[in-house]
Amino acid sequence: MTSSPNSPDSARVLEAIIQTAPATDPQWQEQLDRLRPIASYVLETKTWHARLGTLDLAGVQLLQTLVGAARVHGTEVHLTAVPVPAHWDGPVLPRSRAWPLF
């Protein structure tokens, strides 16, 4: 039996990970305020994580915000297509698309 392109075992979401600005950075609070509404913070790795399932206007705006925050604070954004998490109820990127995106 084959799975559909959007089944959990074949579908992907795009995970964006941004490195945190150093806590000594005077703009730390600015980065926090900018990223908190769109990403979750992982204390152990000191990174912000955001996932998106479509590259529509909202998805591109999310990526622009992440890249802008990274540029301002001298950090990086890493993008990876990952399997859909069990708790994800949003749109997904079908497996049939060639990865990586960039």
Side-chain angles (χ1 to χ4, degrees):
M1 178 163 130
T2 59
S3 58
S4 73
N6 290 331
S7 69
D9 59 335
S10 63
R12 301 286 186 258
V13 292
L14 190 60
E15 181 175 60
I17 300 173
I18 182 172
Q19 298 297 313
T20 305
T24 56
D25 185 330
Q27 297 174 335
W28 160 252
Q29 188 63 45
E30 178 187 324
Q31 185 189 49
L32 181 68
D33 293 342
R34 182 183 256 183
L35 295 178
R36 189 181 325 198
I38 61 169
S40 55
Y41 185 71
V42 178
L43 182 61
E44 297 80 20
T45 59
K46 295 185 168 77
T47 55
W48 292 93
H49 292 245
R51 292 187 178 120
L52 59 144
T54 61
L55 291 176
D56 58 4
L57 180 59
V60 170
Q61 289 172 334
L62 174 91
L63 289 175
Q64 286 177 323
T65 299
L66 293 170
V67 170
R71 182 181 40 79
V72 166
H73 299 286
T75 63
E76 299 177 341
V77 176
H78 297 271
L79 302 173
T80 307
V82 298
V84 176
H87 65 277
W88 184 261
D89 63 353
V92 298
L93 302 164
R95 175 87 170 140
S96 60
R97 175 136 183 172
W99 300 109
L101 285 175
F102 309 100

